[in-house]
Amino acid sequence: MIFITAKFHVRPEHADTWPEITDEFTRATRGEPGCLWFDWSRSVERPDEYVLVEAFRDGEAGAAHVQSEHFREAQRTLPGYLVETPRIVNAEVPQQDWSLLGELAVPEGRA
């Protein structure tokens, strides 16, 4: 899979509404057949920073994403809400889902 993490430094006046600003883009991306997940989180230390964790089935699915109309629309509109160009880590990993973090294993049967 293609695993991507990106940090978005949002203009302070838009930080509280960033989830709404990106809602259409988020829903459209999650609807792509090759999208495994597309999840936003807000930093607890910097309230104007959002982290996007996304994954696509393979390079072909990632390419389809960046060639989609909703991606092109995001390229046109989202930079106006940002302080700076987002920072990204992009890697291909040999799995299709999250692995268990064995060092913090929760015993089975615990609710």
Side-chain angles (χ1 to χ4, degrees), residues 59-91:
E60 186 177 298
H65 171 62
V66 299
Q67 294 168 8
S68 69
E69 179 53 39
H70 55 271
F71 188 87
R72 287 192 297 275
E73 179 65 17
Q75 287 180 300
R76 287 189 291 270
T77 61
L78 295 184
Y81 296 96
L82 301 174
V83 172
E84 61 191 8
T85 301
R87 291 163 287 143
I88 187 170
V89 175
N90 182 340

Side-chain angles (χ1 to χ4, degrees), residues 48-59:
D48 57 350
E49 182 177 81
Y50 283 82
V51 176
L52 175 61
V53 179
E54 56 187 304
F56 296 91
R57 181 185 59 245
D58 52 26

Side-chain angles (χ1 to χ4, degrees), residues 10-21 42 47-48 50:
V10 178
R11 292 186 181 281
E13 64 270 24
H14 301 296
D16 288 339
T17 57
W18 184 249
E20 291 82 19
I21 291 166
R42 191 173 191 179
D48 57 350
Y50 283 82

